[in-house]
Amino acid sequence: MGAVEMIYARVGDNIELNLPQLPQSFYVRWFLDKDDGQELASINHVGGNSIDSGDIWSGRLSISSNILTIKNIQDENFKTFVCRMSDNSKTHNLKTFILIKVNVSMNEAQPLVPGDDLSLNCDLKTQRKPTIYWENPAGRIVPNSALVRKKAESQDNGEWTCVVIDHGKKKTFRFSVSVVDFSSTSKSLYTSTNLPLTVPFVISPNNFVKQILSKIRTVEWVFIPKTSSIQKTIFSISLMNGQLKNLEPHRGLRCENFTKGGNFSLYRKLSREEDRGTYNCSITFKNGFILSRTVHVEVLQIIPSPGTELISGHHLNLSCSTGSPLDTNIKVKWFPPKTSSLANTGLTSGHLIIQKVSTEDSGRWRCELGLEPGLGQNRSTLTSAVITLKIEPVLTVWMLVTICGAAVILILLLILAFILFRRRQRKMRQLRHRLCQCKNPKRKGFYKA
């Protein structure tokens, strides 16, 4: 009978039946079930070959000198394949391949909610006793068991692997398990007062949203401000009645229609200083399990003192902060306008003091938060904030116009005063002239008639 090799496969797999090294002058013939059974394919050293073109094998067989490939193997194809190899001397060898069907399955409907039963089975249609075990998505072995039974957890989501080892040859079969969880985004969110606020709460797998929603009882979003320990409920909803309650309308946050893509995120057009704090979204499922996700929000803000509009020569303080000390691996970096004398000085302090500003400092100032790079890595930007400074020269055009206008008004007032003074003098002279017209003026007093 010659050598025998076991081939483990699932329905729909593509398999290759590999032969050992062939002689220079070879003739290879492939048979089904036994030597001299139904011939499937043949090939020889001069290039001649043939393939069974019947309905069962049409388009699914291909042959090379030492490989027979079967595509999309079906239930009825799990049989014995015999290869006869010969050379010019008419001596021949046989190699037999026995195809064994592997069925990998899960008893429960997907997706699973944490706390649901999880049952995985790796079943072989054979009397042989190969070694079988499972590997979870983290690569840890569930030893000596073709069957896995446990309560589903978030870490069970992903690719499980059934491993079959027969006479030292290892064959693996992957099986995807979907367990509901929040997407693995960072638990810290950095934004700024110049950027929108998006607090991410997205459940996965999102291709099972309708099935997931049918298992949810309630959803609640809460917020703890950075400057307080008091928990405030922002939104809550019961999927029994579908009513969404906005308990903090003054915050201006909104929640999208999560029934479309499993997106429970919170949004606002622009971030605010009061958005700093901890946000939590908790989903209570009908089986009693509570899926919770927490996101810490840091809002970067630039505070100019005394303001953004100054006169050249004035003092300016620029503070770039999230309202609390930064982690040691997070650094501030300033990007002044290109015209500023500080443009290429590598400013890295969160508090910037400019003793005397000039018109060259006018323009867009950007403060950036970034993770300090490790060896051979680039700096990673977390967020950035921007302000625009307007620095006027000491004597601006408007100031000159104002001064000139005041001077003109003063001159006009002086001219008017001079004119009034001259008129008054003229009237006084005319009055004195009228009083002195008689030749012999009498003195004041009483006279007899």
Side-chain angles (χ1 to χ4, degrees), residues 223 225 232-235 246-254 268 272 274-275:
F223 172 63
K232 301 177 181 179
T233 301
I234 306 172
F235 293 103
N246 187 350
L247 304 176
E248 290 275 313
H250 66 278
R251 300 193 63 81
L253 293 169
R254 74 180 194 278
R268 196 190 309 108
R272 303 173 185 168
E274 57 267 27
D275 294 329

Side-chain angles (χ1 to χ4, degrees), residues 152-423:
E153 303 174 84
S154 296
Q155 56 264 36
D156 293 328
N157 183 73
E159 293 285 342
W160 285 72
T161 305
C162 172
V163 181
V164 179
I165 301 177
D166 193 341
H167 283 78
K169 290 189 176 181
K170 181 178 178 180
K171 182 68 176 179
T172 60
F173 302 92
R174 298 187 181 278
F175 189 85
S176 182
V177 175
S178 296
V179 182
V180 177
D181 195 6
F182 282 105
S183 298
S184 56
T185 54
S186 173
K187 292 185 178 181
S188 294
L189 171 69
Y190 289 85
T191 183
S192 78
T193 50
N194 304 106
L195 299 174
L197 176 66
T198 301
V199 186
F201 296 112
V202 182
I203 56 173
S204 62
N206 56 19
N207 54 324
F208 289 107
V209 169
K210 289 185 178 179
Q211 294 93 318
I212 293 171
L213 292 176
S214 67
K215 299 183 178 185
I216 294 176
R217 180 179 291 128
T218 59
V219 185
E220 187 177 60
W221 295 260
V222 299
F223 172 63
I224 303 175
K226 194 171 188 177
T227 56
S228 170
S229 59
I230 300 174
Q231 179 175 292
K232 301 177 181 179
T233 301
I234 306 172
F235 293 103
S236 68
I237 186 172
S238 171
L239 268 70
M240 303 296 289
N241 55 33
Q243 183 179 1
L244 179 66
K245 295 180 181 179
N246 187 350
L247 304 176
E248 290 275 313
H250 66 278
R251 300 193 63 81
L253 293 169
R254 74 180 194 278
C255 179
E256 299 289 348
N257 182 4
F258 54 79
T259 60
K260 292 183 178 180
N263 190 345
F264 293 79
S265 302
L266 299 176
Y267 301 92
R268 196 190 309 108
K269 188 175 181 180
L270 282 177
S271 303
R272 303 173 185 168
E273 181 183 353
E274 57 267 27
D275 294 329
R276 295 167 177 164
T278 301
Y279 295 78
N280 179 271
C281 178
S282 59
I283 302 174
T284 303
F285 291 94
K286 292 178 181 178
N287 67 355
F289 184 85
I290 298 175
L291 186 65
S292 181
R293 175 77 173 181
T294 298
V295 177
H296 303 285
V297 175
E298 300 285 357
V299 180
L300 185 66
Q301 183 180 25
I302 300 177
I303 302 176
S305 178
T308 57
E309 297 185 5
L310 299 96
I311 296 174
S312 182
H314 282 194
H315 180 89
L316 174 65
N317 288 341
L318 291 176
S319 174
C320 180
S321 170
T322 60
S324 62
L326 298 172
D327 292 342
T328 55
N329 61 332
I330 298 176
K331 302 296 182 183
V332 171
K333 189 174 183 179
W334 287 92
F335 296 87
K338 292 181 179 180
T339 56
S340 173
S341 59
L342 301 173
N344 298 313
T345 54
L347 303 172
T348 57
S349 172
H351 188 70
L352 202 59
I353 300 175
I354 305 176
Q355 297 294 344
K356 291 183 179 181
V357 296
S358 68
T359 54
E360 295 176 345
D361 296 320
S362 288
R364 186 172 179 267
W365 287 69
R366 180 164 62 93
C367 171
E368 181 182 283
L369 281 189
L371 286 170
E372 285 299 289
L375 188 63
Q377 297 177 332
N378 295 323
R379 175 185 169 91
S380 175
T381 301
L382 297 174
T383 189
S384 63
V386 175
I387 62 165
T388 301
L389 296 181
K390 185 178 180 182
I391 314 296
E392 300 285 1
V394 176
L395 290 178
T396 64
V397 173
W398 286 109
M399 291 177 69
L400 290 173
V401 169
T402 303
I403 293 171
C404 292
V408 169
I409 291 171
L410 180 61
I411 291 170
L412 290 175
L413 289 173
L414 290 173
I415 292 172
L416 180 61
F418 180 74
I419 292 171
L420 293 174
F421 177 74
R422 292 287 294 172
R423 283 183 179 180

Side-chain angles (χ1 to χ4, degrees), residues 21-40:
Q21 186 67 35
L22 296 173
Q24 187 172 0
S25 300
F26 64 87
Y27 297 86
V28 174
R29 300 174 69 189
W30 290 90
F31 301 94
L32 185 63
D33 290 331
K34 60 181 180 178
D35 188 18
D36 290 331
Q38 178 189 349
E39 186 169 345
L40 299 177

